[in-house]
């Protein structure tokens, strides 16, 4: 039996319908001109040059630095913080590579079904056996601020819906704060407290507690103004501290 391709005699697709090869995807004509391309190239060159200097300096001060890290990481703390470029986890805590496990997203949200965040938490607790999980918000958080306005930013508005929930739950307290910056900072604090609770409500943390593994969840907030962390006092280390509605054992 002879099979024929019904499209055999059609002209090859062009424009948007044309098949895009790997090469075609990367051969994007740059209509912004050679100056733009040169600037980007220089930026990337600087990134690689800085990386080389950093790696060389690390080996100069400790010749076995990378070989030791390659063999093992043993962080005792998981940091769940904001993606904000001004809140670099390792630098703030003065911790070297290998000493801190990190998950960051916009406005440090721990959402019940976020497989990304839950996977980081599960690996940190079950495999790395971290002793502490810290949820770290920060004052002046753009994500929190955006969640307090009616301005549309795009897809991220769906993510920031979680912050809007926190805003609604604490509407009376927040409305009483007249200064918009202070109101935003208070919502950032309340958001941390709710995300600490969300960490505690996961099967991951409750399973650890049930088998007798010590894990303590903390809520901290960072100030861009002075570079200091504040402990919000949200410290949870036992299922007795969470509402019975969320208890899994
Ligand atoms: Co932020």
């Amino acid at each position: 039996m002879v099979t024929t391709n019904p499209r055999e005699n059609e002209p090859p697709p062009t424009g948007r319908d044309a098949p895009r090869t790997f090469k075609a995807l990367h051969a994007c004509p740059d209509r912004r001109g050679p100056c733009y391309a040169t600037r980007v190239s220089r930026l990337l060159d600087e990134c690689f040059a800085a990386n080389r200097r950093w790696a060389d300096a690390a080996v100069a001060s400790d010749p076995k630095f990378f070989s030791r890290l390659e063999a093992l990481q043993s962080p005792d703390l998981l940091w769940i913080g904001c993606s904000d470029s001004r809140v670099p986890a390792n630098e703030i805590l003065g911790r070297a590579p290998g000493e801190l496990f990190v998950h960051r997203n916009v406005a440090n949200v721990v959402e019940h079904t976020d497989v990304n965040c839950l996977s980081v938490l599960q690996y940190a607790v079950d495999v790395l056996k971290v002793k502490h999980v810290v949820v770290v918000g920060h004052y002046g958080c753009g994500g929190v601020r955006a969640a307090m306005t009616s301005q549309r930013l795009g897809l991220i508005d769906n993510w920031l819906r979680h912050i809007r929930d926190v805003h609604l739950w604490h509407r009376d307290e927040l409305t009483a704060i007249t200064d918009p910056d202070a109101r935003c900072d208070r919502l950032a604090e309340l958001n941390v407290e709710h995300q600490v609770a969300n960490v505690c409500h996961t099967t991951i943390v409750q399973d650890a507690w049930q088998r007798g593994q010590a894990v303590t969840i903390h809520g901290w907030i960072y100030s861009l103004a002075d570079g200091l962390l504040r402990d919000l006092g949200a410290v949870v280390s036992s299922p007795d501290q969470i509402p019975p509605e969320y208890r899994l054992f």
Side-chain angles (χ1 to χ4, degrees), residues 48-63 65-66:
F48 277 92
N51 168 248
R52 167 64 64 180
R53 288 193 298 275
W54 172 78
D56 289 347
V59 172
S61 63
D62 179 358
F65 182 76
F66 292 110

Side-chain angles (χ1 to χ4, degrees), residues 82-84 86-87 105-108 137-144:
C82 184
S83 297
D84 193 306
R86 300 164 295 179
V87 191
N105 61 43
V106 174
N108 40 274
H138 69 101
Y139 295 132
C141 182
V144 172

Side-chain angles (χ1 to χ4, degrees), residues 5-52:
N5 180 353
R7 295 172 181 265
E8 198 172 36
N9 296 322
E10 292 179 8
T14 57
R16 289 180 57 139
D17 296 329
R20 303 187 74 197
T21 64
F22 180 82
K23 190 177 175 186
L25 279 170
H26 289 81
C28 179
D30 190 346
R31 294 194 178 85
R32 289 162 291 195
C35 290
Y36 175 81
T38 304
R39 278 205 311 276
V40 171
S41 170
R42 194 176 298 144
L43 169 67
L44 299 184
D45 287 347
E46 286 169 4
C47 287
F48 277 92
N51 168 248
R52 167 64 64 180

Side-chain angles (χ1 to χ4, degrees), residues 162-238:
H162 298 294
I163 314 286
R164 290 181 187 271
D165 291 338
V166 178
H167 192 178
L168 177 65
W169 296 328
H170 297 273
R171 184 167 54 186
D172 292 345
E173 177 188 346
L174 290 164
T175 304
I177 302 172
T178 52
D179 177 60
D181 291 334
R183 195 184 314 133
C184 179
D185 287 348
R186 180 57 184 147
L187 179 55
E189 293 178 345
L190 292 167
N191 179 48
V192 167
E193 292 174 8
H194 279 277
Q195 306 316 325
V196 165
N198 285 348
V199 173
C200 299
H201 300 163
T202 62
T203 55
I204 299 153
V205 168
Q206 295 202 43
D207 285 352
W209 285 338
Q210 188 172 24
R211 62 178 177 258
Q213 182 180 338
V215 183
T216 304
I217 325 302
H218 310 259
W220 298 348
I221 196 135
Y222 175 76
S223 171
L224 298 173
D226 59 16
L228 296 177
L229 287 164
R230 275 93 172 156
D231 189 341
L232 292 173
V235 182
V236 187
S237 58
S238 155

